[in-house]
Amino acid sequence: MAHPYMPNSTPDARAAMMRAAGVTDVDELFEQIPADHLAAEPIALGDGVRAEASVRRHVRRLLDRNDSCAENLNFLGAGCWQHYVPAVCDEIASRSEFLTPVWGTPSSDHGRNQAWFEYASQLGELVGMDFVGLPVYSWGAAAGHAIRMAARMTGRREVVVPATLDPERLAVIRTYCGGEGGEAIAVVVARHDPDTGRLDLADLEAKVGDATAAVYLETPNHLGVVEADAAAVARLARGHGAETIVGVDPISLGVLKPPSEYGADITVGTTQPLGVHMNAGGGVGGFIATRDEERYAREYPTLQVSLADTRVPGERAFGMTLFHQTSYGSREEGNDWTGNSVYLWTVVNAVYMALMGPRGFADIGATIAANSAYAARRIGTVPGVSVRWPSGFFKEFVVDFTATGRTVAQVNAALRARGIFGGKDLSADFPELGQAALYCVTEIHTDDDITALVSALHEVVAA
């Protein structure tokens, strides 16, 4: 008999599928998985639950064990941040013409293609670039693709990245730079200046050379610090014939200069702050943007939406361009395999940017900068607690608990008991910072929220 939720699970259907695949055992389909990736013994699972009501109750019970940022005061960030998502973003995303289509033609998907075009146009204005592809899975994926673009353009096989990178994003970059023999791209890490939290320019200069395809930096960086020397980094890269790739948080660009104004050749970043709820287990969006030059356009691995004339004079339509160089158009012969993407979030991003406009981005950027600076000053008054770099940050900053004699894990556990998510523990990834945590403050935090955090920290360190 069939599994209640899997109609093709009957023995006859299973046998028919194996005959079509040319295998006699399902395990043959997984031969490429290394032995050390397989479970050594069967996983102990309980008996299946056949009643839908019982399954729903079981899943609901598991989900209710989680505590979310909706029920707790949250100061976590580090790559996925809690910003306000206007209700209209969810309303538009849930419309069936955007939610249900998988693919179609320019004629059948005219509205969606227009939304995608508006996304690219608005994001281009925000980052100061002319050519924007549809987003990929994440910021790390966008950075990895951009580095591979630079390697193809320059014919070089080395990239220099800052030591302040998010370790998870660095791991993604290393995956994209992997390969055999001449296909691999060496990842060289440049130190950061412990006094400023920014790139150490002297160390960077020593590591950039004729083999460098690109220099990658982020501003604000993973530790929250704005890279004030970004223009000098771009000049250094250009002097060695290398590309400059800059990673940004787009919501900061209402108050910070766009990357194009200080020498970026390729700009990447996340689209999650632009109307996308925090989520785990799925993509949150990563973008790639460049100047509108053919040498860059020819290296994109992502889909592009462009305007086109129709047979009706004065009428415009929207369609794909450079489709053949993507994995959608040429499969493994494309520039890169883009894999899963986040095209529904693209529509949400377009809605959010249209709602905000230039004035809105300036206002929210100023609000975030003011809130985070205020929070840092208040936190710095807690005995034994200090802010590592008390200026030059946007919405995240490093808080040092070393002098309190408590670990970040202990502090965070005590805060959790009070209904507060503390900052991300940096002690394992950046041991040189001591017992430090990365705190995030955005436009959603009020004076009362910050007071609640500071009061809780006073209690925790005094206990």
Side-chain angles (χ1 to χ4, degrees), residues 80-91:
C80 188
W81 303 277
Q82 190 173 12
H83 291 284
Y84 180 70
V85 176
V88 69
C89 292
D90 294 332
E91 178 66 24

Side-chain angles (χ1 to χ4, degrees), residues 321-392:
T321 186
L322 302 178
F323 184 79
H324 65 284
Q325 65 191 43
T326 71
S327 56
Y328 292 94
S330 300
R331 312 309 288 171
E332 66 272 13
E333 299 301 322
N335 280 343
D336 269 324
W337 185 267
T338 55
N340 293 334
S341 197
V342 287
Y343 298 143
L344 184 61
W345 293 155
T346 311
V347 177
V348 171
N349 300 150
V351 172
Y352 183 89
M353 288 186 284
L355 286 171
M356 295 293 289
R359 184 70 259 166
F361 273 99
D363 288 345
I364 196 171
T367 299
I368 292 171
N371 285 358
S372 60
Y374 173 67
R377 289 195 300 272
R378 294 285 307 278
I379 291 171
T381 65
V382 178
V385 178
S386 62
V387 175
R388 177 61 66 120
W389 300 289
S391 63

Side-chain angles (χ1 to χ4, degrees), residues 129-155:
M129 294 289 190
D130 302 310
F131 199 78
V132 181
L134 292 186
V136 291
Y137 202 63
S138 67
W139 185 344
H145 282 302
I147 291 167
R148 291 177 60 81
M149 288 171 64
R152 290 194 295 270
M153 292 173 65
T154 62

Side-chain angles (χ1 to χ4, degrees), residues 45 49 66 143 148 155 161 186 204 230 256 260 268 337 346 372 383 392 419 445:
L45 295 175
V49 180
N66 293 326
R148 291 177 60 81
V161 303
L204 179 67
L256 299 180
S260 59
V268 300
W337 185 267
T346 311
S372 60
H445 293 100

